[in-house]
Amino acid sequence: MTKKISNYKAAAGGWGALASTTRFVLGSKKPAANIRNLLRANKVKGFDCPGCAWGDEQGKHFSFCENGAKAISWEATARRVTPAFFKQHAVSRLRRQSDYFLEYQGRIEQPMYLNRDTDHYEPISWDDAFALIGRHLNRLDHADQLELYTSGRASNEAAYLYQLFGRAFGTNNFPDCSNLCHEASGVALTRAIGVGKGTVTLQDFDQADAIFVFGQNPGTNHPRMLHSLRNAARRGTAIVTFNNLKERGLERFADPQSPVEMLTPKDSRISSHYFCPRLGGDMAAVRGMVKLLLEWDAEALTKGEPGLLDRQFIAQHTQGLDDYMAQVAATPWQHIEQQSGLNRAQIQQAAEVYAGAERVICTWAMGITQHKHSVATIRELVNLQLLRGQIGRPGAGLCPVRGHSNVQGNRTLGINEQPDEAFLERLEHHFDLPMPRRPGHNAVAAIQAMLDGHARVFIALGGNIAAAAPDTNATAEALANCDLTVQISTKLNRSHLMAGKEALILPCLGRTEADVQASGPQFITVEDSFSMVHASQGVGTPNSPHQRSETAIIAGMAQATLGSKPVHWPALADDYDRIRDHIAATIPGFEHFNERLQQPGGFYLGNSAAAYCWHTATGKANFAAEPLPEALLPAAANGEVVSTLQTLRSHDQYNTTIYGMDDRYRGVYGQRMVVFMHPDEIRRRGLNKGDVVEMISLWHDGVERRVGGFKVVPYDIPDGNVAAYYPETNPLVPLHSTGDDSHTPTSKSVAVLIRRLQSGRIL
């Protein structure tokens, strides 16, 4: 594996994406099967890609992207982790291996139990595994000593069964991956417009006059979005990007599925305007846009011309405008420019595009949601859209882009540590069983509860919390403090090695594989970022007869713990239509669930805010009069300069899954231990390209958080901001450095000191 830093000059996509896709399909050791898989990905009568939550375009011959092909090939690999592998490798030895090495070993073949005496995982039967779980749960002092974690890749059926199991047991402890990423979106949107989801559909991208993209890198994290942005740009839609780093996918894109773009130098420019605010400066940038819009509106009215604001919409559908306008007027330009890192002329360019567009979409991802003031920032985006009535009309609205392919569906189906009363009442009525009312734990609270000994059993429905969560050492200690940890997984990962006093690995089927139960072949359902619900049916042959579906595993745990209360759990696992009948009876929008799934492409759940039905305390859409933060981070520590670190993914990565060691678009090959810095900051610190540094994060709890061995790489990033990959930098994110109201780790705004290591340089 050659390590090098080399500027990538081509557009995103193109031959580079095609070559990468081919390499991963061949590397799966099942090329023929995975080519067939790719042809069925995101298709009617096929399966939903286990990657991102972007919506499916109907009628396309190929409906996958490069990173979707990686996810499919990575899951549908011929490699297997057998009992012989675990016999050969002690857990303590595996802990020293990289995350890439662990997942590269392949699919877990059968249930495994950690023998503490030998430091090895050993085979265990399914019946014995379920019995062990039942014994642990039934001897807990109270139900809230159980933590039920969920990954966004779980199906609607599995999520519903999981939450029913937990609530029948007596807890609302449902920490999940959305607590670590998009929780701020749900909190902010619910308060502002009464629903925690985006208001647009995929078709709205075909009708927008302008699309404002905040804090996201679709070229790596959701590449199918680039098709929508490319098509919009070609129609003349203005695409205005606010992103801390220059990302190739937001600059130029060559469609690997277009012969013209593959065989000629032709590619598509994506962003018409590209601004690089400081980390956390997006709220200030939007505040500046609003300040200009209000000035221009007042000037137009003075001249007797139509104003820019949609006053009819504001009067009929909103409240709080006066307080918000007073807050905007009180915000000085000096504060806006200093905090955003953009000058007034740049902000004016963006405001002019916004003012000149009849239909505007604002879309964002984790570059917005993982800051202390993320909820306030998203409320500011909503304020901007409310001023001109840019919600509920074709081609306009709000669009948070979620990560995993069913993270939104999990929340819809009840994976929520603070469920509303109406939901609990529907469950009680339907199942004739009291439901717990105590608020449960989010991800950070769950980790703290395990650290404190208040939670004793941790069960994970997918995911890799040991790598995904902040404050890696604290998370590992929390898991080790449990009496029992249970990981429902497809592949080996870090969480299996950071185990409790007793530990199980339960191997489940993947999204690509055929799921056959007692009643015959089954399909599951998912919900994308646009509230579309559709079926997904795997086609591949499982590579082990010992692997079970997520629903069958949940049913087995529930039956061993609760018996047949409030349902006969194995019967639900035998036929997923029965689960969907329960969903239809208890979840609004899913009425006649099984029948509606017969529609090609599934069905739209709808969005109350898009229909101008505001489920807020005021009955209207709410402006938020939040001041800008006084400061984003401390300016210095004992005279030493502080930088702001954001953790991010490489291109060969999806969440904690490391597919390879390259980050092609950023010019990084064969390595991950790099830190991107502005050239001026490198010089000011007396560093050089290739120097090796350590980073120490600043927090007030007296705990030293330090990582080292990172190579300095010059990059187009605001001076004073730095970026590095996670999970390698997750040890720097303090557990309790979380967003206001969202409790999401502030992984995009970590205060760090950077110091040269004495070991020299890496070229």
Side-chain angles (χ1 to χ4, degrees), residues 67 88 115 127 202 218 274 483 567 614 662 721 725 730-731:
N67 275 11
Q88 179 183 359
N115 185 328
D127 287 345
L202 188 58
Y274 202 128
D483 293 339
V567 294
W614 314 103
D662 294 348
N721 293 168
Y725 303 129
N730 277 6

Side-chain angles (χ1 to χ4, degrees), residues 568-581:
H568 184 59
W569 301 92
L572 299 184
D574 287 346
D575 186 348
Y576 299 175
D577 280 354
R578 295 167 181 164
I579 303 174
R580 287 187 284 270
D581 286 339

Side-chain angles (χ1 to χ4, degrees), residues 131-188:
L132 176 66
I133 294 168
R135 286 197 300 274
H136 271 277
L137 295 187
N138 284 319
R139 68 186 182 213
L140 294 177
D141 298 327
H142 55 81
D144 287 336
Q145 290 180 324
L146 168 64
E147 303 287 352
L148 294 165
Y149 181 76
T150 317
S151 161
R153 285 176 59 169
S155 68
N156 286 330
E157 291 74 14
Y160 186 82
L161 213 59
Y162 201 50
Q163 67 82 29
L164 181 61
F165 166 43
R167 293 191 166 103
F169 185 70
T171 187
N172 284 312
N173 286 350
F174 290 103
D176 80 314
C177 62
S178 66
N179 300 147
L180 304 176
C181 53
H182 258 288
E183 193 68 37
S185 297
V187 171

Side-chain angles (χ1 to χ4, degrees), residues 577-597:
D577 280 354
R578 295 167 181 164
I579 303 174
R580 287 187 284 270
D581 286 339
H582 288 300
I583 293 172
T586 54
I587 307 292
F590 286 85
E591 296 80 8
H592 308 291
F593 192 3
N594 280 307
E595 293 86 345
R596 293 165 72 191
L597 287 171

Side-chain angles (χ1 to χ4, degrees), residues 692-728:
V692 182
V693 298
E694 64 176 356
M695 290 180 278
I696 305 99
S697 66
L698 302 179
W699 194 243
H700 51 67
D701 59 3
V703 176
E704 181 179 86
R705 298 176 175 89
R706 179 190 303 259
V707 294
F710 290 81
K711 180 199 300 187
V712 171
V713 175
Y715 203 79
D716 192 351
I717 184 173
D719 194 358
N721 293 168
V722 300
Y725 303 129
Y726 78 85
E728 289 85 351

Side-chain angles (χ1 to χ4, degrees), residues 602-616:
F603 61 91
Y604 177 49
L605 281 176
N607 183 279
S608 54
Y612 295 163
C613 182
W614 314 103
H615 296 308
T616 62

